[in-house]
Amino acid sequence: MTELAWLFLLLPVAVACGWLAGRRGGERRGGARVSRLSNTYFRGLNYLLNEQQDKAIEVFLQIAAVDKDTVETQFALGHLFRRRGEVDRAIRLHQSLVARPGLSDEQKTRAVLALGEDYMRAGLLDRAETLFTDLVRMGVLAPQALRHLISVYQAERDWAKAIEHARKLEDAGGEPMGKLIAQFHCELAEMARLDGDLASARTHVAEAYAADSHSVRAGLVEARLELAQGNDAAAIRAFERVARHDIEFLPEILEPLLACYERRGESARARGFLLEMIEHYPGVSPVLALTRIYEREEGKGVALEFLSGQLRQRPSVRGEAAYIELSLRDADSDPAVALKTLKQITEQLVVRTPGYRCQRCGFGARAHHWQCPGCKSWGSIKPVHGAVSE
Ligand SMILES: [Zn+2]
């Protein structure tokens, strides 16, 4: 929790202390005690801000002992106990708050919510589930309780219930849950696929798409389902869609997709797709895949020409290795030309690779700086030792 959040958490305590001070001042007695109490409070706050939780707990226990009616102090203590991992203490404290007569409805439901959070922290998921379900049924603190319930069902891998409560959270005015619901349906689809229930797997894939039309995972599960049933054409559509929705997944799908194209003899489609990917994907994988197709269909000369042109724009060590291998296999390749090409690509590679890197934040720099421009720490930038550096 951030310090700001702690300040907010303790705001009610500050108000309670101020109120106490006012009440006692009005009664014209115990002035010394009042100032001692507020001094104590600010001492506790100070410890909190300095992350000295042990001392903060000590101080808040003192406040709680002086005035047993300050419920907010109890809440602050409960938070501190849980935060320090003293879950048993937090549970006892919140249980006594729940059982305490004279609490307002709002305080009581907050105590139930806090107790549920303790149970979750202690791994007592059944008890947590019962409390959160009660809160949802009563219609109080429903978004918080629903968020916790979704976590409980995820921990229990009860995806159907996780979906049901994610929808309830959306209806209760919480954040959009489409991406999460799609993940849960994909979990169900994977389980159904492993059980051999392909029809049910397909239904869950469709529901995942309905929840998140750009779900990459739904595309991957769909493609795997189609592959398992020998539907290469449908698998190609699913794989292509994955890459178009999130191009970072291209390396994940390239190999099985290329195998599908090959089985169906769809070389023109493969070329078109790879050219499209090369435009958007900065890595070398689609270039290497297209080079192999050119070599097979147009000959080694055309493949070498294409590869060297691409590597000048996106120099890479893997690309150079492929270039050397192809040159060695090509009887017509002129070694002098190949070496000259490699020299140019290597120079590009050196120019583009940062020679220095911050060891704290990873900031890459062409020249040495004593203070890192990224994280502002001193003396953390060092020369890089790697494939193309000193
Ligand atoms: Zn840095």
Side-chain angles (χ1 to χ4, degrees):
M1 197 185 283
T2 65
E3 286 179 356
L4 195 65
W6 272 106
L7 276 177
F8 275 114
L9 171 71
L10 286 162
L11 208 56
V13 182
V15 172
C17 285
W19 174 76
L20 274 176
R23 188 180 66 164
R24 294 202 170 119
E27 286 167 13
R28 292 177 187 282
R29 64 173 179 86
R33 190 175 131 176
V34 170
S35 69
R36 204 188 67 213
L37 189 62
S38 52
N39 280 346
T40 313
Y41 164 72
F42 283 110
R43 204 149 49 83
L45 192 60
N46 226 0
Y47 284 136
L48 272 186
L49 291 178
N50 291 317
E51 296 281 319
Q52 292 174 280
Q53 291 161 18
D54 293 359
K55 289 184 174 164
I57 285 183
E58 224 171 83
V59 170
F60 283 109
L61 280 172
Q62 282 171 23
I63 298 178
V66 170
D67 193 306
K68 292 192 166 42
D69 298 333
T70 26
V71 175
E72 299 303 334
T73 312
Q74 303 287 333
F75 276 118
L77 266 175
H79 262 270
L80 276 170
F81 286 149
R82 194 193 312 132
R83 197 182 173 210
R84 275 175 38 89
E86 295 185 47
V87 189
D88 289 349
R89 264 177 119 176
I91 289 177
R92 280 199 301 278
L93 186 146
H94 289 132
Q95 278 173 337
S96 77
L97 268 181
V98 170
R100 185 163 160 172
L103 253 56
S104 72
D105 285 353
E106 189 265 339
Q107 286 171 328
K108 193 146 259 175
T109 50
R110 267 174 60 210
V112 172
L113 188 76
L115 184 57
E117 287 168 359
D118 296 339
Y119 284 147
M120 272 185 75
R121 183 69 188 273
L124 302 167
L125 296 181
D126 288 357
R127 290 192 199 179
E129 183 186 344
T130 308
L131 291 186
F132 293 137
T133 307
D134 281 349
L135 287 178
V136 172
R137 199 179 299 130
M138 292 187 305
V140 285
L141 297 172
Q144 285 102 310
L146 283 167
R147 261 180 227 117
H148 287 311
L149 275 174
I150 294 167
S151 303
V152 168
Y153 295 129
Q154 285 182 65
E156 292 174 340
R157 304 181 65 76
D158 188 339
W159 308 116
K161 277 196 173 158
I163 292 167
E164 182 193 328
H165 287 80
R167 292 200 195 289
K168 278 188 190 165
L169 178 56
E170 266 187 342
D171 293 343
E175 55 274 18
M177 302 297 284
K179 288 190 186 304
L180 204 57
I181 290 173
Q183 288 282 356
F184 298 158
H185 275 297
C186 287
E187 290 283 344
L188 287 169
E190 294 274 26
M191 279 163 62
R193 186 174 68 91
L194 291 176
D195 286 349
D197 184 355
L198 299 186
S200 160
R202 279 177 189 282
T203 308
H204 284 299
V205 166
E207 298 213 40
Y209 273 131
D212 173 14
S213 62
H214 280 47
S215 169
V216 163
R217 189 175 176 193
L220 287 173
V221 180
E222 183 188 1
R224 240 171 262 148
L225 281 173
E226 301 296 1
L227 278 183
Q229 295 189 291
N231 303 329
D232 282 337
I236 287 175
R237 279 197 299 277
F239 279 134
E240 287 182 348
R241 181 151 60 166
V242 166
R244 288 187 178 119
H245 282 161
D246 189 347
I247 200 153
E248 296 300 325
F249 278 88
L250 184 64
E252 298 290 309
I253 58 135
L254 205 48
E255 208 175 299
L257 173 59
L258 291 171
C260 286
Y261 286 136
E262 206 170 324
R263 280 196 295 273
R264 288 186 56 81
E266 292 207 50
S267 163
R269 184 167 177 170
R271 287 182 182 207
F273 176 76
L274 288 170
L275 282 171
E276 179 193 330
M277 291 298 116
I278 286 169
E279 268 187 46
H280 304 290
Y281 187 73
V284 79
S285 335
V287 171
L288 297 183
L290 194 50
T291 303
R292 281 193 296 274
I293 293 180
Y294 283 149
E295 184 192 356
R296 205 165 51 223
E297 296 177 359
E298 319 263 343
K300 294 187 174 68
V302 173
L304 272 173
E305 185 108 348
F306 168 74
L307 183 57
S308 66
Q310 285 293 325
L311 289 180
R312 281 196 181 89
Q313 295 162 39
R314 57 180 94 203
S316 90
V317 174
R318 261 184 76 205
E320 287 194 318
Y323 183 86
I324 293 169
E325 204 193 305
L326 191 52
S327 302
L328 288 175
R329 271 191 280 130
D330 182 8
D332 301 331
S333 167
D334 180 348
V337 172
L339 279 175
K340 212 175 136 198
T341 306
L342 282 169
K343 179 169 181 284
Q344 287 166 349
I345 297 168
T346 308
E347 278 164 4
Q348 277 291 311
L349 200 55
V350 171
V351 166
R352 290 187 190 200
T353 308
Y356 300 90
R357 194 169 294 286
C358 173
Q359 303 202 317
R360 263 194 72 190
C361 74
F363 183 91
R366 298 264 312 110
H368 184 252
H369 301 268
W370 284 112
Q371 186 183 23
C372 171
C375 68
K376 307 291 176 206
S377 70
W378 290 91
S380 58
I381 292 191
K382 301 270 167 72
V384 178
H385 308 288
V388 292
S389 299
E390 290 149 50

